[in-house]
Amino acid sequence: MIVHVFENAKQVARAAAALFAAQILKKPDSVLGLATGSTPIETYQELIQLYKDGILDFSKVVSFNLDEYVGLPATHEQSYDRFMKEQLFSHINIKETHLPSGIAPDMAQECLDYEQKIHQAGGIDLQLLGIGTNGHIGFNEPAEAFAYNTNITQLAESTIKANRRFFLSEDQVPKTAISMGIGTIMEARSILLLAMGDSKAEVIQQMVNGPITPQLPASILRSHQSVTVLLDQAAASKLGR
Ligand code: PGA
């Protein structure tokens, strides 16, 4: 795990975009793993700018997102499908995008199908991750064991509270999601995790220095051969030198 600390969030986003740009320039038909949440928004803005400036071409790029809320159709304001269209896909010439469906008639089958689509595309070259304050990646919440494949997961109480800000009331926050599993994420050839702000300082400290445990799902990333972590100073403030 390589950890870089930058002065501010803008620099984190520019560095993340630089790594995505390098990936796409090296392999124009890259398979990208993408994430939602507030963390990647500025990185997506940087990627859009690189596209508009004629530096990046996404016409052969395929993407797979980490997760989606169960029960929200793609058209719902708070669906991750809608988020991705607004924040990235509608602004670039990306060839093909995939998110798991939150409203498939058979969700267990949707999990299997999503996993298979990733394999058929040749696997993920570069997976982008944020991290929850409880250590979740995707919607893999702290648990007794690591979930291997794409699965249906119960959101942790802290996640429901964190997501409350996007919905009119807590009742409306979905309680379940479909998410790539820890195994799906670990199969990516390279992983890029971003974290910004004081609220992530404690979990980053635990991810880097604590035990590898399903109680802190992101800790497993330390056993992956190619993980880059980009932090601003606030998120890195509890790390030793
Ligand atoms: P955030 O969420 O980017 O909104 O902080 C990250 C996550 O929960 O994975």
Side-chain angles (χ1 to χ4, degrees), residues 36-40 130-132 136 138 165 200:
T36 51
S38 44
T39 302
I131 183 171
H136 75 202
R165 65 192 196 274
K200 302 291 171 73

Side-chain angles (χ1 to χ4, degrees), residues 173-219:
V173 185
K175 309 293 185 289
T176 47
I178 175 169
S179 175
M180 283 186 196
I182 292 293
T184 327
I185 293 169
M186 290 293 283
E187 278 172 16
R189 286 181 269 279
S190 291
I191 296 175
L192 175 58
L193 183 141
L194 313 181
M196 288 90 91
D198 293 329
S199 66
K200 302 291 171 73
E202 181 57 34
V203 74
I204 289 297
Q205 194 284 122
Q206 288 175 24
M207 176 184 81
V208 172
N209 298 319
I212 294 179
T213 163
Q215 295 297 341
L216 195 114
S219 62

Side-chain angles (χ1 to χ4, degrees), residues 56-98:
L56 282 186
D57 173 18
F58 292 84
S59 64
K60 298 193 176 84
V61 170
V62 173
S63 73
F64 287 90
N65 261 76
L66 283 167
D67 46 21
E68 178 61 281
Y69 288 121
V70 167
L72 296 195
T75 49
H76 191 283
E77 271 200 323
Q78 295 304 333
S79 77
Y80 287 166
D81 195 294
R82 175 106 168 238
F83 174 99
M84 289 307 299
K85 285 192 180 103
E86 284 173 1
Q87 299 295 336
L88 182 65
F89 299 153
S90 65
H91 307 282
I92 59 174
N93 65 338
I94 193 161
K95 178 184 169 198
E96 204 179 292
T97 63
H98 301 268

